[in-house]
Amino acid sequence: MSNYEYSVNTQGEGLYNITENVLSAVRESGVAEGLCIVYCAHTSAGITINESADPDMGRDLLAGFARAFPDGREFRHMEGNASAYLKAGCIGASQTLIVEGGRPLLGVWQGVFFCEFNGPHTRKYTVKVMADPT
């Protein structure tokens, strides 16, 4: 079982492709078959698996979230960023990937993204790789 911690410097709300770090963690762990969990311990950020080939996907996702979770006067959170927490709650703090043949199982167009809904910040996320019990 191996843990890898990474940082990402966000420039504000956006999706940051972290796929290469996830691939690197699995490769470095030496795990051939098992699970890989990508987790962020932030309440206004999340982790998602989505299309990585078209940069418009990220813009579209953020536009959809802005429409679904607009900032509003009805929110009582004192920092004025309640919509960031709603978006993060919808995305979730982690994703689990199956590891097969020493690689995370991702579709041809899939990538792993750190989703910043606040910022700018220096954020951290953890990749945990676990081998199947033998």
Side-chain angles (χ1 to χ4, degrees):
M1 194 166 7
S2 303
N3 282 346
Y4 302 87
E5 189 171 283
Y6 298 94
S7 294
V8 59
N9 294 315
T10 68
Q11 303 305 307
E13 186 172 51
L15 272 62
Y16 299 83
N17 193 327
I18 60 171
T19 308
E20 285 305 315
N21 286 344
V22 173
L23 293 172
S24 175
V26 172
R27 193 171 39 252
E28 192 175 318
S29 76
V31 170
E33 307 291 324
L35 295 175
C36 172
I37 300 168
V38 184
Y39 172 75
C40 82
H42 301 287
T43 55
S44 60
I47 303 291
T48 193
I49 298 171
N50 214 306
E51 183 185 338
S52 63
D54 183 352
D56 284 333
M57 176 286 306
R59 289 188 276 280
D60 291 348
L61 189 64
L62 293 173
F65 275 131
R67 191 171 194 173
F69 304 108
D71 287 320
R73 290 190 313 243
E74 70 276 8
F75 295 133
R76 299 168 80 181
H77 181 59
M78 67 182 152
E79 293 176 10
N81 60 349
S83 64
Y85 296 95
L86 293 167
K87 294 169 190 175
C90 184
I91 285 286
S94 68
Q95 291 289 322
T96 302
L97 295 99
I98 296 168
V99 176
E100 276 188 6
R103 292 183 53 87
L105 220 84
L106 287 167
V108 173
W109 307 112
Q110 287 182 318
V112 184
F113 294 88
F114 186 95
C115 305
E116 173 67 77
F117 297 116
N118 206 359
H121 291 293
T122 298
R123 302 288 202 167
K124 293 186 193 266
Y125 61 95
T126 302
V127 179
K128 182 179 202 72
V129 186
M130 300 172 288
D132 282 344
T134 52

